[in-house]
Amino acid sequence: MNALDLLLWVVAPYVALTVFVLGHVWRYRYDKFGWTTRSSQMYESRLLRVGSPLFHFGILVVILGHVGGLVIPKSWTEAAGVSEEAYHVVAVVLGTIAGVCTLAGLAILIYRRRTVGPVFTATTRNDKLMYAVLALTIVLGLAATVVANIVGGGYDYRTTISPWFRSIFYFSPDPALMAGAPLLFQLHALSALVLFAIWPFTRLVHMLTAPVGYLTRPYVVYRSREDVAGSRPARRGWAG
């Protein structure tokens, strides 16, 4: 181990997690009205109807795949009767398809933001940084999957990267596990740490909320400014 490995695989993860948690607390406390995606559907909907579902359904599968691969130990899937070969095939196939869909959807959304005037005008520097880091993370993850498992002879990240990821939450990080991982996997992990660090300060905060309050919130009653509820129009004095 050297100082760089300790900085990248011990210090950086805890810094990113601390910023991620405290940043969301700060954002929710001081910027509740800014906790939104700042929807631009009113400006353009044709490209949005294609790009948004591709991106969101793709990223959902990607997240579920990462949770399954990083959080669930290899011994658990083997105990459940899932062989390493079967797990590998399903993970690579679904991961590649989901990654391609996510990247294609993101490309459409970025193209839409760049070419549609009102949408581009509503795009902030913060949005541009978020899109750049998000795209880099997705590209590196997809490249790592393709190069290691399709072009190369395969790489079992559940024996190195997954234990390192879990060791962070055990407060006993083992940087040696990541130091020996392929370069693309290391770059993917570092880009993900940067993404988590900037997350609370971008529109990505909407992914951590759900409109649960709408289930119990009372209906909003709209009345005409002229009419009074429960009353009839007044008749003229000589009307029969």
Side-chain angles (χ1 to χ4, degrees):
M1 286 295 95
N2 54 49
L4 181 60
D5 290 329
L6 292 175
L7 178 65
L8 294 179
W9 312 121
V10 177
V11 177
Y14 285 113
V15 171
L17 287 173
T18 301
V19 174
F20 182 82
V21 174
L22 297 183
H24 279 92
V25 173
W26 174 87
R27 179 78 180 271
Y28 186 78
R29 183 168 181 176
Y30 294 103
D31 189 30
K32 285 185 179 180
F33 293 105
W35 194 290
T36 174
T37 60
R38 296 195 301 275
S39 175
S40 58
Q41 184 177 2
M42 62 181 295
Y43 301 132
E44 195 280 337
S45 59
R46 182 176 60 86
L47 291 172
L48 187 65
R49 282 198 299 267
V50 178
S52 184
L54 264 178
F55 173 77
H56 284 92
F57 285 116
I59 199 68
L60 179 60
V61 176
V62 169
I63 292 174
L64 292 176
H66 278 68
V67 170
L70 297 176
V71 177
I72 300 176
K74 182 178 180 179
S75 58
W76 290 17
T77 56
E78 291 178 344
V82 180
S83 66
E84 174 59 27
E85 181 179 358
Y87 179 91
H88 179 78
V89 170
V90 172
V92 171
V93 172
L94 287 181
T96 302
I97 294 174
V100 170
C101 290
T102 304
L103 189 59
L106 183 61
I108 293 173
L109 294 177
I110 293 176
Y111 172 81
R112 172 179 175 268
R113 284 203 166 269
R114 186 63 187 85
T115 58
V116 179
V119 181
F120 181 72
T121 303
T123 303
T124 64
R125 292 181 180 179
N126 185 298
D127 294 330
K128 296 176 183 178
L129 175 63
M130 181 271 294
Y131 276 113
V133 177
L134 182 60
L136 178 63
T137 304
I138 295 171
V139 168
L140 287 173
L142 186 58
T145 299
V146 172
V147 172
N149 296 292
I150 297 179
V151 178
Y155 177 70
D156 188 4
Y157 65 89
R158 294 200 295 166
T159 61
T160 55
I161 300 175
S162 298
W164 166 78
F165 179 81
R166 293 193 296 270
S167 71
I168 294 173
F169 297 93
Y170 298 152
F171 297 101
S172 181
D174 187 355
L177 294 172
M178 279 300 297
L183 179 61
L184 280 175
F185 284 91
Q186 292 180 341
L187 294 176
H188 177 56
L190 291 175
S191 64
L193 292 178
V194 175
L195 180 63
F196 280 113
I198 68 171
W199 189 305
F201 314 104
T202 68
R203 65 174 64 213
L204 291 175
V205 293
H206 78 280
M207 294 180 63
L208 302 180
T209 57
V212 179
Y214 284 97
L215 300 176
T216 57
R217 195 179 73 173
Y219 293 108
V220 178
V221 179
Y222 292 94
R223 294 189 176 95
S224 171
R225 186 181 296 273
E226 289 78 15
D227 297 337
V228 179
S231 65
R232 296 176 62 184
R235 294 183 176 180
R236 293 181 178 274
W238 60 82

